[in-house]
Amino acid sequence: IGHTGTVYITGVPSDAIAYMVDSGAVINTTLSAGGTLNISTGVISTPHNYSIVSVANAVCTTYVDTTVYVIPTPMQWIGGATGHTTDWNYANNWACNAVPTISDNVFIDSGSFNPTITGTTPFTTGDLNLAQGASIVIDAGATLNVKGTFNNNGKLSGDGKVVLNNTTLQAIKGRGTVGNLELNNAGGAVIDTGSRMVIASALSITSGTLTTHDSLELASTDTLSTARIATLPSSGAAISGKVKMDQYVMGGYRRYRFVAHPFKDTISLGQLQNYIDITGPGGATNGFRSTGSNAPSAFRLDPYTSNSSIGYDPGWKPFTKINSSAADTNKVHPGQGIRLFFRGAKGEGLGYGASGGGYTPSSTIFKMSGNVNQGNVSIALQQGSDTAHQSFNMLGNPYPSPVDMGSVIWRAREAGRVTGAAFYIFDPAIGNGGNFVTVGLGLPAASGGSPVSYYVQANTCIQVRAAGDGALIDFTEADKSANTSNYLYKAPVSYTSLAVYDENYHVWDRLQLDFNDKATDNEDRLHDAAKPMGIADFNFYSTSADDRKLAIDSRPFAAEKVIPLGVTSNYQQNFIIRADNVAIPAGGKLVLHDKLLEKYVDLNAGAEYAFTISKDKATQGDNRFELSLKPATKAVDNGLHVTMTPNPATDDVNITFTTGSQQQVSVRVTDISGVSVYSKDLGVLQSGKVNISLNSLAAGIYMVELKAGDKKAVHRLVKE
């Protein structure tokens, strides 16, 4: 029988009536002979022996007809109901023809109709069981409460959450993945030994202790997020046991990364050696991957021996041993940042230097395990006797979550614990080997300033200057965030970047556009950045649909839409709009429209448009420029092909062309303002080559125009 079931009785004497009895207690109403016993919801909730009893009225004799073993049928998902194939809240998608309630133990098997939970009204189950290959999608704002055992061998995904919220200890079983999980049970929850729970997005604990049995993993993939542990309340919530922390590292860069861990104990580099190659003196004897040179690839910064004024700072000490007998100086300490060279996946690039060969490093994932930091954390900085050159420290993010490092360091400066107006974060994507990026702290409070938020992801570190030996940097759970201001292990956010330069290519301002389907045309708090106005003497910005001026504009890419652009300047001179980077959906196209001069320019990467701001008010403001979003049109080959080498050039440039047929050909070179500096009629040709001397031209940007009959090709030339 099911959660509301029927027991059918046959063979009862005609003068008798029947009961269902549990340990002598009647649990149903009296029924006539040969009738049925209707068992109401919750009466039979566990497998059990029940007696079917009949009473013979003629002689008043009670006797047992039979004993039955009743197993309640679970609430089984079947899916596929017409018009509601995956809707959790549709009765026909369940074997018992009812949507589960708190009394029901739910079973989800693998199949083609995986349930989806939507809406803001929470749904509740008793036990929740997902078989291997089964999945549930929980949309944003939706909640699935689980009052019993959470037995997950499948996957629960989506921006919604699963909440364990009984009042007694709950069990977590299986080896599955859940996107967002919340524990809100003062009685706590425990992950069974031998099970494994993988968090894909966020773990929240609002009440109770989660006992991991070292079987909790925070996943990291090639997307822009790594799973995190959200802010813990000041009391009544905790994690007991180790947590495994994953970190995806993008490929393509054979460079250093700056690594930290979120644990309260020291860990060995041997943990990372399981996933990436770490080299060092002694090779395998000391736990490293052996190479011909055994050159070190892992370093720590020792401020006491540092000298930041010289090219190779002697404070960078190589790790000399990572096996079990390693000394404390060869352990990675809580809050410590280290410099670690990534060659790609394990086994890649070990002979790169010796062979001189090239390769593209693959992406990889490294994993670390330990007891995570919980609650407030203080990390002591170090400073040598030479305070000018021995104050730099590598400070690790101590939590398994991004943190607002901008606010943390600003507070430390206010307390006199760090010096300087900035901290530094290493970006591996800059230059040929990566470089530090300076992050300003904002004005001190005494000058009317306040913290400027900058979110540093988990498993990495920053560089900061200590104001004294032993100065403490204080972190609190409230510093955790879901935001990330950088993607140091992953591909950077790919913006379309439009910059305004002067004729000497000094940048004046920059606008970033992120074509993102999760954003809207209005100002989005989580995606857009407003443009501060009224301070700078030059501003370049876009305007949202709700009339907000933006410095970072995130919105969906929709063909035939228009994005208004604004420019204001206190200077009357020539400028250049340049597309430093163009990142748009495949098949799309951006067109810059100068509404004043009615000119259009296709914005491919590197494309430039020269314009002038004069006394005429129409040359600036909110109505000068706009961007048009266009669907791609297939390029038409008109037969004119031009190549230009070298470019950039110093002394001369060679232009080679073919027209497809005999045409009158001419070439002209203009400066950025359109003034002709060279022209020549080449005669009637089908193909050819012309050399142009550049010795008389000043360094700068020029446009080379080659005409062949009614065809024209224009190329940008840089004179160095």
Side-chain angles (χ1 to χ4, degrees), residues 1-17:
I1 63 172
H3 76 303
T4 299
T6 303
V7 174
Y8 293 91
I9 299 176
T10 60
V12 179
S14 59
D15 60 347
I17 55 177

Side-chain angles (χ1 to χ4, degrees), residues 447-503:
S447 301
S450 58
V452 177
S453 292
Y454 187 93
Y455 302 97
V456 172
Q457 68 193 75
N459 305 326
T460 191
C461 54
I462 66 165
Q463 191 171 84
V464 67
R465 296 184 64 191
D469 195 35
L472 294 177
I473 306 297
D474 297 326
F475 294 83
T476 71
E477 286 281 345
D479 294 318
K480 289 180 177 179
S481 174
N483 296 324
T484 306
S485 297
N486 53 65
Y487 300 97
L488 305 180
Y489 292 120
K490 307 185 181 186
V493 174
S494 189
Y495 288 112
T496 291
S497 180
L498 306 181
V500 179
Y501 297 86
D502 60 22
E503 291 180 298

Side-chain angles (χ1 to χ4, degrees), residues 175-390:
R175 301 178 67 83
T177 300
V178 55
N180 295 289
L181 180 72
E182 178 182 344
L183 174 61
N184 186 13
N185 179 356
V190 58
I191 302 175
D192 273 9
T193 302
S195 295
R196 183 189 66 179
M197 181 170 69
V198 178
I199 303 295
S201 185
L203 170 66
S204 302
I205 302 179
T206 54
S207 177
T209 296
L210 175 63
T211 301
T212 71
H213 279 150
D214 303 344
S215 299
L216 173 64
E217 186 169 352
L218 303 178
S220 182
T221 64
D222 58 351
T223 60
L224 296 180
S225 64
T226 293
R228 69 188 190 97
I229 297 176
T231 301
L232 297 173
S234 58
S235 63
I239 297 171
S240 175
K242 292 182 179 180
V243 176
K244 182 177 285 186
M245 187 80 185
D246 299 0
Q247 182 58 64
Y248 173 91
V249 182
M250 64 180 171
Y253 293 104
R254 191 177 189 271
R255 299 177 180 180
Y256 281 102
R257 305 296 202 282
F258 283 73
V259 178
H261 69 71
F263 309 122
K264 61 183 180 181
D265 306 309
T266 59
I267 69 168
S268 168
L269 278 177
Q271 287 201 31
L272 280 69
Q273 179 82 307
N274 293 323
Y275 305 97
I276 60 175
D277 288 313
I278 304 174
T279 57
T285 301
N286 290 326
F288 297 108
R289 177 68 182 264
S290 294
T291 63
S293 65
N294 284 332
S297 65
F299 299 83
R300 60 184 177 87
L301 181 61
D302 177 14
Y304 299 131
T305 60
S306 183
N307 187 342
S308 60
S309 66
I310 61 178
Y312 185 80
D313 191 333
W316 285 109
K317 305 294 186 183
F319 283 78
T320 59
K321 186 178 290 188
I322 61 173
N323 54 23
S324 59
S325 60
D328 187 61
T329 54
N330 285 309
K331 303 286 188 181
V332 186
H333 289 244
Q336 179 186 37
I338 67 171
R339 180 161 59 101
L340 188 60
F341 194 71
F342 275 74
R343 298 172 168 88
K346 195 169 179 65
E348 281 188 339
L350 291 169
Y352 182 87
S355 66
Y359 74 105
T360 300
S362 301
S363 60
T364 188
I365 295 176
F366 69 84
K367 303 185 180 188
M368 306 175 287
S369 180
N371 296 291
V372 294
N373 285 309
Q374 302 173 62
N376 297 341
V377 176
S378 294
I379 299 171
L381 302 182
Q382 298 173 329
Q383 185 184 65
S385 57
D386 182 354
T387 58
H389 302 122
Q390 294 183 327

Side-chain angles (χ1 to χ4, degrees), residues 487-526:
Y487 300 97
L488 305 180
Y489 292 120
K490 307 185 181 186
V493 174
S494 189
Y495 288 112
T496 291
S497 180
L498 306 181
V500 179
Y501 297 86
D502 60 22
E503 291 180 298
N504 294 318
Y505 277 80
H506 297 139
V507 65
W508 285 63
D509 204 357
R510 180 173 280 110
L511 167 67
Q512 292 182 326
L513 296 143
D514 173 26
F515 293 107
N516 181 351
D517 287 338
K518 293 184 178 180
T520 70
D521 291 345
N522 292 331
E523 182 189 16
D524 298 297
R525 181 176 59 86
L526 296 179

